[in-house]
Amino acid sequence: MQLFSNIFCNKFKVGLQFNNLPTTIVGQSPDNNITIDDFFAKTAPLPTNIISFFCCNFVVISDKSNYIFMLITNSLATFGRYCLFIKRVFALPDRWGVFGRRTISEVSKLGIDSIPLVIVISLFIGAVIAIQMQLNISSPLIPAYSVGLATRDIVLLEFSNSILCLILAGKVGSNIASEIGTMRVTEQIDALEIMGVNSCNFLVLPKIIAFVLFMPALVIICIGTSLIGGYLVALLTDIITVSRYVYGLQALFIEWYVWYGLIKSLFFAFIIASVASFFGYYVKGGALDVGKASTNGVVSSSILILLFDVLLTKLLLQ
């Protein structure tokens, strides 16, 4: 019995501390206040409000515990439904000709139409990186070519894949989620199902394949335009000379950094296309719900990109 009492005391105390609740039972006067440990050890007289203390705190702890439990349960249910969705997506197409034409169309819509955005963002970010590197690395102990070297490595390791995909999650992800969500609320997907067509495969697979295949091209364009942005800073200003910047770009070059960025971009492209399609496919309601599904798709894609960025960096660079 004493063992059970100790276990219950510890569990209840942890619950109080986790939920930022008081661990002292208040009596009619400060002298009558006792702690949870004293109560279970029976070393102090009981205050008159002991029943209300336990009832109120048990209600708060149980409510928050139920919320956490429901959150975990809903997350697992959503993940399971996503896995079943991906299983339906990666089935053999019924008509390969239609699949090929739709894939080419999606390459144009999701990939080629994103090139102007990638060029503009990369150009300015490359210029900003070069300026900040020069302004913050002003020690005589650091080589002058470090600006070009730091700009190159920042672009290769993080910006051209992770940050770029976070930006594209907003542009491409919202496009995919809103398109498929609109087809759901207007019952176009239901019509495909009635005709015996695997709507997941027909609508989603071309988008995933097209975006994953074109993503390395966007990464290469991003790398090139970012380095050009830094070059323009050296050419048009007196912050750093062109020769030192170019030398820094060539110094201590590691080829694996390029492959590292390309490999990560493939995973991120799959996350963007599949997660956005998932939220759009299972939307319910009207136009307002399509907007919510689009927002949820972008947020979930961004979180997963950051999560996989940590995992892939650990695996590929260790």
Side-chain angles (χ1 to χ4, degrees), residues 140-202:
L141 301 177
I142 300 177
Y145 63 82
S146 297
V147 175
L149 186 148
T151 302
R152 182 201 67 203
D153 285 349
I154 290 174
V155 170
L156 291 180
L157 291 173
E158 238 6 76
F159 175 72
S160 64
N161 43 79
S162 303
I163 308 302
L164 176 65
C165 287
L166 286 174
I167 297 171
L168 292 178
K171 195 265 184 188
V172 175
S174 61
N175 184 306
I176 294 174
S178 59
E179 178 184 345
I180 298 179
T182 301
M183 295 183 69
R184 169 62 75 183
V185 299
T186 55
E187 300 180 351
Q188 297 180 50
I189 295 179
D190 297 332
L192 290 173
E193 296 287 349
I194 292 173
M195 291 188 294
V197 177
N198 183 351
S199 57
C200 292
N201 177 269
F202 181 77

Side-chain angles (χ1 to χ4, degrees), residues 10-280:
N10 292 332
K11 295 294 183 182
F12 188 73
K13 186 176 180 181
V14 169
L16 293 175
Q17 294 173 346
F18 178 78
N19 292 281
N20 296 321
L21 297 175
T23 58
T24 301
I25 304 174
V26 180
Q28 294 180 345
S29 65
D31 296 334
N32 292 333
N33 295 348
I34 65 171
T35 64
I36 293 296
D37 296 328
D38 293 337
F39 168 73
F40 282 98
K42 299 179 181 179
T43 58
L46 300 181
T48 57
N49 61 341
I50 182 66
I51 297 178
S52 62
F53 173 83
F54 277 100
C55 290
C56 294
N57 288 335
F58 263 126
V59 169
V60 174
I61 293 174
S62 61
D63 287 344
K64 293 191 176 183
S65 300
N66 289 336
Y67 172 77
I68 296 174
F69 176 77
M70 291 299 297
L71 181 63
I72 296 174
T73 303
N74 293 336
S75 299
L76 292 176
T78 302
F79 177 73
R81 190 165 57 168
Y82 172 78
C83 293
L84 295 176
F85 172 76
I86 293 299
K87 181 181 177 181
R88 290 188 60 194
V89 168
F90 285 95
L92 290 176
D94 296 327
R95 301 178 64 180
W96 286 96
V98 176
F99 170 75
R101 289 193 295 270
R102 287 185 58 82
T103 302
I104 295 174
S105 175
E106 296 297 340
V107 167
S108 174
K109 182 169 60 176
L110 302 179
I112 296 177
D113 289 350
S114 300
I115 291 178
L117 175 66
V118 172
I119 291 176
V120 172
I121 292 175
S122 302
L123 198 65
F124 285 104
I125 292 297
V128 169
I129 292 175
I131 294 174
Q132 290 184 346
M133 287 298 103
Q134 178 59 32
L135 294 179
N136 290 281
I137 301 178
S138 57
S139 172
L141 301 177
I142 300 177
Y145 63 82
S146 297
V147 175
L149 186 148
T151 302
R152 182 201 67 203
D153 285 349
I154 290 174
V155 170
L156 291 180
L157 291 173
E158 238 6 76
F159 175 72
S160 64
N161 43 79
S162 303
I163 308 302
L164 176 65
C165 287
L166 286 174
I167 297 171
L168 292 178
K171 195 265 184 188
V172 175
S174 61
N175 184 306
I176 294 174
S178 59
E179 178 184 345
I180 298 179
T182 301
M183 295 183 69
R184 169 62 75 183
V185 299
T186 55
E187 300 180 351
Q188 297 180 50
I189 295 179
D190 297 332
L192 290 173
E193 296 287 349
I194 292 173
M195 291 188 294
V197 177
N198 183 351
S199 57
C200 292
N201 177 269
F202 181 77
L203 297 174
V204 178
L205 186 59
K207 297 180 184 296
I208 294 178
I209 297 298
F211 194 53
V212 170
L213 290 180
F214 199 79
M215 192 66 216
L218 294 178
V219 171
I220 293 173
I221 293 172
C222 177
I223 293 174
T225 51
S226 297
L227 299 182
I228 291 174
Y231 178 83
L232 293 177
V233 169
L235 183 65
L236 301 177
T237 67
D238 57 354
I239 293 179
I240 182 176
T241 62
V242 175
S243 59
R244 288 179 177 177
Y245 177 79
V246 174
Y247 182 81
L249 295 181
Q250 300 172 347
L252 305 175
F253 176 69
I254 301 176
E255 183 183 355
W256 173 245
Y257 286 176
V258 179
W259 294 108
Y260 161 78
L262 294 175
I263 293 172
K264 284 206 306 181
S265 68
L266 296 178
F267 285 89
F268 298 158
F270 176 81
I271 290 173
I272 293 171
S274 62
V275 172
S277 299
F278 170 77
F279 279 95

